[in-house]
Amino acid sequence: MEQHVQQWLKDKRTAHLDELKEFLSIPSISALSEHKPHIKEAADWLAKNLQSAGFDHVQVMPTNGNPVVYADWLHAPNKPTVLIYGHYDVQPVDPIGLWDTPPFEPDIRDNKIFARGASDDKGQTFMHIKALEAILHTTGTLPLNIKFCIEGEEEVGSPNLDRFVEVNQNLLAADVLVISDTPMLDKGRPAICTGLRGLCGLQIDVKGPKSDQHSGLFGGAVQNPIHALVRLLDSMRDEEGHILIDGFYDQVIPITEEERAAYQFLQMDEEKVRQELEVPALFGEKGFSMLERTWVRPTLEVNGIYGGFQGEGIKTVLPSEAHAKITCRLVPDQEPDQIVELLRKHIQKHTPPGVTVQVTPFDKGYPFMTPIDHPAIQAASRAYEKAYGVAAAFTRMGGSIPIVATFNRLLHLPVVLMGFGLPNENFHAPNEHFHLENFDLGLLTLCHYWFELANTPV
């Protein structure tokens, strides 16, 4: 990589961080309808930034939900075309009282930038724009062809992006898909993610009496929906986290001894994780390490549960209803729709007497894997090593990016997941932050990668 590209990044660092603060200050929460104006504001901000960076055909393209921002630069004949995917929407900020500084007032301290979206995924998406801008403005050209597809609904399961990709297959056609929305292993330990877990989720609504009742008059005579819900949820897992849904594990590909040895070689410090989380012990399926539990084993988790009186003090009420939200992380070759149906049958079979239950599915995505030996993956490995000075590890990720499988199915693209966040940066939690060390080294890595990939047959 040419020296003046690095110097440009160094000279522009303060300006880049000021721009990132602007981006992070927009509360583009896709899950809450009151933030619809902020979604548009974030999309428009991105479009303006892409234009000023030198990209062509910048568009804020409508969908049945939030818009997709598209841009391209296609002036490198006989060179690969890369599609860069990211998202500009963010998670809700609750519980707001646990934030040390307001979530949409970006604050830099301890060489970290704190704000909702700093790591997931505004910060990492922004880096792609700035890395390419550095090359374009210092050399007058790019070593390969680039397209951007940046959506605004990733945090709610990308419900409209499948259709958008299907309709715009020619517009989005490329040779490689690159995404930066995955974590590194640890500080100074870059990683290329070669597999993602899939996702399915549902809401359980338990209905008892027609309205809340006096617990002295009806307690012991009428089923309490909260008790019924607790029993129902408890029937889904045993005390060691093994999932008790009939057929749940039938399609799971067992971990190989080679994979197990590779994960042991990474030397994950489980005690360090326990201490960072401030829990008395880690928990999970018996016979599997933490990496195996989070990378190659499926899960079923209760994400929220509510019902009855929740104010200060006590109210002796027998509630009319209770609710829970659960999600399952899926691994190859589990099918989201099939797992939802298994859950539905289990709930029907185990519903306690005296209540009715309604099940509403939401959020689904397929698991995904990509070959480690693909040339685009190997080029990413070389780029990381040039910037960080150490070899990148090949990992899987416990999280889900549902659109990855869609891109692969419709556009037949190899997917390179090269992220720069750290696992403890509190994405989806209060005090989300992004280490600026990885902002700086990540920009260098991306610049190296574009030059490496330009000379790699893909």
Side-chain angles (χ1 to χ4, degrees):
M1 185 173 69
E2 306 207 18
Q3 186 64 35
H4 44 281
V5 176
Q6 297 187 45
Q7 188 61 47
W8 168 276
L9 292 173
K10 183 177 179 181
D11 293 342
K12 293 287 185 178
R13 186 177 191 268
T14 299
H16 287 165
L17 291 176
D18 287 342
E19 287 181 54
L20 179 56
K21 286 181 178 180
E22 284 183 21
F23 192 25
L24 294 173
S25 70
I26 304 171
S28 49
I29 302 171
S30 53
L32 303 176
S33 58
E34 62 262 35
H35 288 283
K36 204 75 173 176
H38 300 126
I39 289 287
K40 182 179 185 304
E41 182 183 357
D44 290 342
W45 189 96
L46 266 177
K48 183 179 178 181
N49 201 267
L50 284 160
Q51 286 175 332
S52 66
F55 290 96
D56 305 321
H57 308 115
V58 179
Q59 303 175 64
V60 178
M61 303 181 69
T63 72
N64 288 333
N66 298 334
V68 170
V69 180
Y70 174 86
D72 62 34
W73 189 96
L74 305 174
H75 307 292
N78 304 316
K79 291 294 183 178
T81 297
V82 177
L83 177 63
I84 298 171
Y85 164 85
H87 64 93
Y88 61 85
D89 65 319
V90 299
Q91 283 276 323
V93 298
D94 308 271
I96 188 67
L98 296 183
W99 285 81
D100 293 333
T101 52
F104 296 108
E105 296 179 18
D107 183 56
I108 294 177
R109 56 186 188 272
D110 301 325
N111 203 34
K112 307 167 191 173
I113 185 165
F114 287 78
R116 173 59 87 226
S119 183
D120 178 21
D121 178 44
K122 284 182 175 179
Q124 299 196 61
T125 298
F126 177 80
M127 287 166 59
H128 276 284
I129 300 173
K130 296 299 111 176
L132 289 162
E133 179 186 47
I135 299 172
L136 188 56
H137 280 251
T138 54
T139 68
T141 188
L142 293 178
L144 36 60
N145 301 293
I146 295 290
K147 296 180 179 181
F148 278 95
C149 176
I150 307 173
E151 68 152 321
E153 295 183 319
E154 194 274 347
E155 299 292 7
V156 290
S158 303
N160 293 292
L161 197 58
D162 280 25
R163 178 60 178 163
F164 179 86
V165 174
E166 187 172 2
V167 170
N168 293 284
Q169 290 184 52
N170 291 336
L171 180 70
L172 301 175
D175 300 298
V176 179
L177 174 65
V178 174
I179 302 174
S180 295
D181 195 12
T182 51
M184 304 195 338
L185 268 182
D186 204 345
K187 177 179 171 63
R189 299 184 68 189
I192 301 168
C193 181
T194 62
L196 297 167
R197 290 196 290 191
L199 177 73
C200 69
L202 51 84
Q203 177 163 321
I204 304 172
D205 300 303
V206 180
K207 187 73 174 69
K210 62 181 181 180
S211 61
D212 289 358
Q213 301 295 321
H214 191 297
S215 66
L217 296 178
F218 293 98
V222 176
Q223 177 69 273
N224 184 320
I226 294 179
H227 287 292
L229 178 59
V230 169
R231 284 183 57 192
L232 184 55
L233 295 175
D234 191 53
S235 74
M236 295 181 178
R237 294 194 338 183
D238 67 16
E239 63 276 7
E240 292 181 331
H242 185 82
I243 297 164
L244 301 176
I245 310 297
D246 288 344
F248 187 87
Y249 293 103
D250 286 358
Q251 306 303 320
V252 174
I253 299 176
I255 185 172
T256 66
E257 289 305 315
E258 289 79 9
E259 284 179 296
R260 178 160 282 174
Y263 299 155
Q264 289 173 348
F265 181 76
L266 296 176
Q267 297 181 320
M268 167 63 73
D269 188 342
E270 295 192 8
E271 175 59 18
K272 179 182 177 184
V273 173
R274 185 197 69 78
Q275 291 177 8
E276 288 180 346
L277 295 176
E278 298 182 8
V279 293
L282 298 181
F283 171 83
E285 256 189 300
K286 187 176 181 180
F288 296 95
S289 68
M290 177 185 166
L291 287 183
E292 292 163 357
R293 291 169 184 163
T294 56
W295 288 358
V296 300
R297 298 296 293 171
T299 65
L300 184 153
E301 299 289 348
V302 179
N303 306 122
I305 183 168
Y306 55 100
F309 178 67
Q310 299 181 43
E312 184 179 357
I314 190 167
K315 181 181 181 183
T316 54
V317 64
L318 193 156
S320 170
E321 56 189 50
H323 313 270
K325 298 177 187 291
I326 67 173
T327 52
C328 297
R329 299 290 178 172
L330 309 179
V331 298
D333 288 324
Q334 289 180 304
E335 296 272 344
D337 290 335
Q338 183 182 40
I339 296 299
V340 168
E341 187 56 32
L342 294 177
L343 288 168
R344 196 190 299 274
K345 289 179 180 178
H346 180 94
I347 291 167
Q348 184 177 21
K349 180 180 178 181
H350 290 84
T351 296
V355 295
T356 58
V357 176
Q358 179 177 337
V359 175
T360 305
F362 54 81
D363 277 14
K364 68 176 182 179
Y366 287 83
F368 177 80
M369 290 181 63
T370 194
I372 291 175
D373 60 357
H374 191 280
I377 294 283
Q378 292 300 312
S381 178
R382 295 192 297 273
Y384 270 120
E385 189 161 3
K386 285 182 177 180
Y388 281 84
V390 297
F394 296 103
T395 67
R396 292 207 214 176
M397 191 178 83
S400 307
I401 307 177
I403 195 59
V404 168
T406 299
F407 277 120
N408 182 257
R409 175 173 56 87
L410 293 176
L411 304 181
H412 310 291
L413 298 178
V415 182
V416 180
L417 297 164
M418 48 189 308
F420 301 96
L422 293 181
N424 60 355
E425 288 181 334
N426 291 354
F427 26 82
H428 293 208
N431 298 314
E432 179 180 351
H433 57 278
F434 188 37
H435 285 66
L436 295 184
E437 172 188 353
N438 293 322
F439 179 79
D440 298 328
L441 291 176
L443 285 168
L444 291 178
T445 302
L446 291 172
C447 290
H448 284 304
Y449 184 53
W450 303 133
F451 287 107
E452 286 281 344
L453 192 60
N455 297 307
T456 300
V458 293

